[in-house]
Amino acid sequence: MSSERQIHFVTGKLAEPLLRQLVSELAVKYQFRFSIQVLPITVAALMTPAWIAARIEVPEGTDQVLLPGFCQGDLAPLQQRLSVPVVLGPKDLLDLPVFFGGQRDVPDLDLFDIEILAEINHAPQLPLDKLCQVALQLQRDGADIIDLGCDPGGTWQHIDETVARLRALGLRVSVDSFNVTEISRATTAGAELVLSVNSSNCHAAGDWGAAVVVVPDDVADWQAMEQTMDWLTQRQVPFWIDPILEPIGVGLMASLRRYDEARRRWPHVPMMMGIGNLTELTDVDSAGVNFLLLGICQELRIERVLTTQVINWARSSVAESNWARRIVKHAVDRQVPPKRLSDQL
């Protein structure tokens, strides 16, 4: 296209960020000038030519008007009002490079912000060799940290040996326990993170040499949680916070509001979400649940998720979360819906 050519793009609010990114790149590559008009509608596909005709403002010098590809209806009334050609663009905005003679960009899904902790439930009950096999498979599926889920009511006598073996395999390890003795043995052997800490055991956290995850004594009690955070800060113990995700029927929406409130209260404190609380307790295939929760985490800057794979419908949660964190990273960074980016889920 000639450098003198000017195209007026018409879009809705939702597509505006991606359209601006794409057009800015295409204008340089194909040498055209452009203007973009964002009409007062969220979804561009709901526009009609008659609706556009009542609102469009075409800058002087425009050579072509480009409408969203899903715009349905007779273009004649709009064409009659305007003195420049009106054409439909591609139905999928990501195909705009193809419209101009290029190729569709392949989204970069190598980047992610969220770490996955994969919990091995009832870890003390597994033979060590079997536990190591499970841990290595979780790592292959995308887990960044292997979380050892301890059994309440007792002390795992050989937890230090297990942690040392996993560390020798090159794995990062966390320990899920409130038992101070258990935690001390695990951190001495190389566990880097302790799940979980509240007022009942935070007194020992300064001796562990590991980061901890702060959970509320009571989900409605912000003050107690903040007191634990202050105690840890004074003793220079690094920590994450997890306001606790609750299942549907017993407080899901209230818990999601807590995560939002926690991010508002402490905008720079690292956060974690235990997504297994929802996947394991929701009688539905886990891929969609994991994806939605990872999307929430990406928007709230929750940098770690804890999941597990016990119930039949959640047996691929780690792999699902691994793909989800990449797709939602791309979507949030580019301000586009996570659509037609990958078929992995």
Side-chain angles (χ1 to χ4, degrees):
M1 291 185 179
S2 167
S3 60
E4 298 298 318
R5 186 170 183 81
Q6 177 162 319
I7 304 174
H8 185 61
F9 294 84
V10 177
T11 190
K13 298 175 184 177
L14 193 60
E16 178 191 3
L18 178 58
L19 178 65
R20 290 194 182 278
Q21 293 175 33
L22 292 173
V23 171
S24 297
E25 298 167 1
L26 293 169
V28 173
K29 185 174 183 178
Y30 295 102
Q31 298 185 339
F32 63 84
R33 292 176 293 116
F34 67 91
S35 56
I36 296 175
Q37 183 176 3
V38 183
L39 294 181
I41 191 169
T42 301
V43 181
L46 299 179
M47 297 178 184
T48 64
W51 187 87
I52 294 171
R55 295 163 176 83
I56 193 168
E57 298 176 2
V58 179
E60 185 178 350
T62 296
D63 298 294
Q64 185 182 69
V65 172
L66 191 63
L67 303 182
F70 272 109
C71 182
Q72 298 181 8
D74 186 4
L75 294 179
L78 180 58
Q79 185 65 76
Q80 290 171 4
R81 186 191 159 197
L82 304 177
S83 58
V84 297
V86 178
V87 298
L88 293 177
K91 291 184 176 180
D92 188 341
L93 189 52
L94 291 173
D95 285 328
L96 197 58
V98 180
F99 180 85
F100 283 94
Q103 295 182 338
R104 178 176 173 135
D105 292 336
V106 178
D108 181 5
L109 300 181
D110 291 335
L111 303 177
F112 56 85
D113 295 328
I114 299 171
E115 285 190 321
I116 298 170
L117 281 71
E119 180 178 0
I120 300 177
N121 295 76
H122 303 295
Q125 300 179 24
L126 289 177
L128 182 54
D129 287 345
K130 175 62 176 178
L131 188 148
C132 290
Q133 291 175 10
V134 172
L136 289 170
Q137 182 59 56
L138 291 171
Q139 182 192 49
R140 288 191 288 269
D141 288 340
D144 301 287
I145 299 175
I146 304 303
D147 182 59
L148 297 177
C150 300
D151 292 334
T155 299
W156 186 1
Q157 298 299 327
H158 303 292
I159 191 172
D160 47 355
E161 178 185 349
T162 300
V163 171
R165 178 79 171 271
L166 294 175
R167 297 288 291 125
L169 293 172
L171 299 173
R172 299 167 62 192
V173 181
S174 63
V175 55
D176 196 344
S177 174
F178 278 98
N179 183 316
V180 171
T181 301
E182 216 164 39
I183 294 169
S184 180
R185 290 176 180 174
T187 53
T188 299
E192 66 179 74
L193 183 67
V194 176
L195 287 66
S196 298
V197 167
N198 60 17
S199 64
S200 71
N201 63 350
C202 69
H203 63 278
D207 300 326
W208 295 335
V212 303
V213 176
V214 178
V215 296
D217 292 51
D218 181 290
V219 293
D221 189 352
W222 289 108
Q223 184 176 3
M225 188 172 183
E226 192 159 17
Q227 288 173 349
T228 300
M229 293 165 61
D230 289 344
W231 195 97
L232 295 169
T233 299
Q234 292 168 11
R235 289 154 181 80
Q236 299 183 325
V237 178
F239 62 84
W240 301 67
I241 59 174
D242 183 357
I244 304 299
L245 185 68
E246 293 180 306
I248 296 169
V250 292
L252 172 61
M253 274 308 303
S255 63
L256 291 176
R257 285 194 291 268
R258 283 198 302 274
Y259 282 96
D260 184 51
E261 174 63 19
R263 179 47 75 217
R264 293 175 189 274
R265 285 173 179 254
W266 304 295
H268 304 298
V269 172
M271 290 179 66
M272 188 186 84
M273 178 186 287
I275 61 176
N277 287 357
L278 195 61
T279 53
E280 293 284 335
L281 298 174
T282 306
D283 193 4
V284 64
D285 288 341
S286 58
V289 179
N290 281 319
F291 190 90
L292 183 59
L293 290 175
L294 268 290
I296 292 170
C297 289
Q298 188 71 37
E299 291 199 354
L300 288 179
R301 292 179 292 110
I302 296 173
E303 304 96 335
R304 281 178 173 170
V305 295
L306 171 68
T307 192
T308 187
Q309 303 186 150
V310 178
I311 205 76
N312 284 336
W313 56 73
R315 291 290 173 93
S316 52
S317 280
V318 172
E320 292 162 6
S321 298
N322 184 31
W323 277 107
R325 64 179 172 175
R326 299 164 188 270
I327 298 170
V328 298
K329 162 75 171 172
H330 181 92
V332 172
D333 282 358
R334 303 199 72 180
Q335 300 179 60
V336 298
K339 181 180 179 181
R340 296 195 179 99
L341 297 177
S342 170
D343 61 359
Q344 292 297 321
L345 294 175

